[in-house]
Amino acid sequence: VVIPDYVRTIDHGAFHGCRELESVILPPTLVSLTGEAFRNCAQLARLSFAKSSDNFMIRDGVLYSAQGDVIVFCPPVVRTLPCLLPTVTRIGNGAFCGCAIERAVLPDGITEINDCTFYRCTGLSNVIIPNSVESIGSYVFYCSLLTEIDIPDNVKSIGKGAFAECYKLDDVSLPDGIPEISDYLFYNCSSLKTIAIPGSVRSIGEYAFTTCHLLSEIYFIGDEDEWNSIDITERGNIIL
């Protein structure tokens, strides 16, 4: 596919489900692109520019912002995460959406992992998150093969459904300082057995633990009064 020169934005779902798409040539006029534009484009192997771009650059097949501080998109056929630029501080929405990678070691310096970063990376079983990360967006690890995850203490927010459908995840410790367990956070994590909840949590959203039938050990790192003061939404959280 060759995208015309007048196109400035490629947004969410623009090429959704184009399963035979293998290559996209982008215009130099492009100023905005989200990785979710290519959701379910499993054969997409290459992005390139018709002419040099002032807004993006490509290194080792990965699309970055021109300054190299944002990972914008990695083609889904990639099985081994390439060495990422040390200048990266943020992973853009859907940057690795649907990628075939099995392991991801994120470089120190990243502060934000945005929405749907590893959405439907159905082979992903191991992720190393650096201590520099402060926020994890919504549906970041949706439907991955993670069995455990080490969330750094610096993380102060975790978005809706970040671990939803991670059906092999069995043990989680949430970092001290997060104020809420968001909606759908562990939705259908059917292997989840143990969770540690910090005393900083003040609310638990709807369906946060739906179908977590094996959850048998809940450790609250706080006192009884703090636990009783948590606003727990009843919908989908009967196990609590």
Side-chain angles (χ1 to χ4, degrees), residues 152-170:
D153 290 338
N154 283 338
V155 172
K156 302 304 179 189
S157 67
I158 302 175
K160 181 193 304 184
F163 301 102
E165 302 284 356
C166 291
Y167 65 92
K168 288 195 172 185
L169 188 65
D170 64 9

Side-chain angles (χ1 to χ4, degrees), residues 1-224:
V1 171
V2 179
I3 298 175
D5 279 351
Y6 55 80
V7 173
R8 294 174 57 83
T9 300
I10 302 176
D11 214 340
H12 178 97
F15 293 92
H16 181 271
C18 293
R19 300 180 187 278
E20 304 302 318
L21 182 64
E22 296 181 356
S23 175
V24 176
I25 299 176
L26 302 169
T29 52
L30 191 68
V31 296
S32 175
L33 182 148
T34 172
E36 293 179 89
F38 301 105
R39 183 180 291 182
N40 291 337
C41 296
Q43 301 303 313
L44 181 57
R46 184 171 183 267
L47 294 182
S48 60
F49 281 91
K51 299 176 184 177
S52 62
S53 169
D54 292 332
N55 301 303
F56 300 95
M57 63 177 176
I58 297 174
R59 296 289 185 275
D60 295 325
V62 178
L63 183 68
Y64 295 88
S65 61
Q67 297 76 23
D69 58 335
V70 181
I71 301 171
V72 180
F73 182 70
C74 181
V77 298
V78 170
R79 292 187 175 275
T80 302
L81 191 69
C83 184
L84 301 174
L85 297 181
T87 51
V88 170
T89 60
R90 183 161 60 90
I91 304 178
N93 288 9
F96 298 99
C97 179
C99 278
I101 56 176
E102 298 177 357
R103 186 171 189 264
V105 178
L106 303 179
D108 192 42
I110 290 176
T111 59
E112 300 176 32
I113 302 175
N114 282 320
D115 296 353
C116 300
T117 290
F118 296 102
Y119 184 93
R120 287 198 178 277
C121 291
T122 54
L124 183 64
S125 60
N126 181 251
V127 176
I128 306 299
I129 301 174
N131 290 328
S132 55
V133 171
E134 299 172 358
S135 66
I136 296 173
S138 298
Y139 299 102
V140 166
F141 299 104
Y142 179 89
C143 204
S144 72
L145 289 181
L146 293 177
T147 57
E148 59 182 2
I149 185 80
D150 185 9
I151 306 172
D153 290 338
N154 283 338
V155 172
K156 302 304 179 189
S157 67
I158 302 175
K160 181 193 304 184
F163 301 102
E165 302 284 356
C166 291
Y167 65 92
K168 288 195 172 185
L169 188 65
D170 64 9
D171 187 359
V172 176
S173 292
L174 296 174
D176 188 32
I178 65 166
E180 66 172 352
I181 294 177
S182 58
D183 296 348
Y184 298 92
L185 186 57
F186 299 105
Y187 180 87
N188 205 24
C189 290
S190 54
S191 296
L192 187 64
K193 299 173 183 175
T194 305
I195 187 165
I197 299 174
S200 58
V201 168
R202 292 291 172 262
S203 64
I204 297 177
E206 62 181 12
Y207 304 107
F209 293 97
T210 295
T211 63
C212 294
H213 300 307
L214 296 182
L215 184 58
S216 58
E217 298 179 23
I218 301 173
Y219 298 99
F220 181 67
I221 318 302
D223 58 38
E224 185 176 355

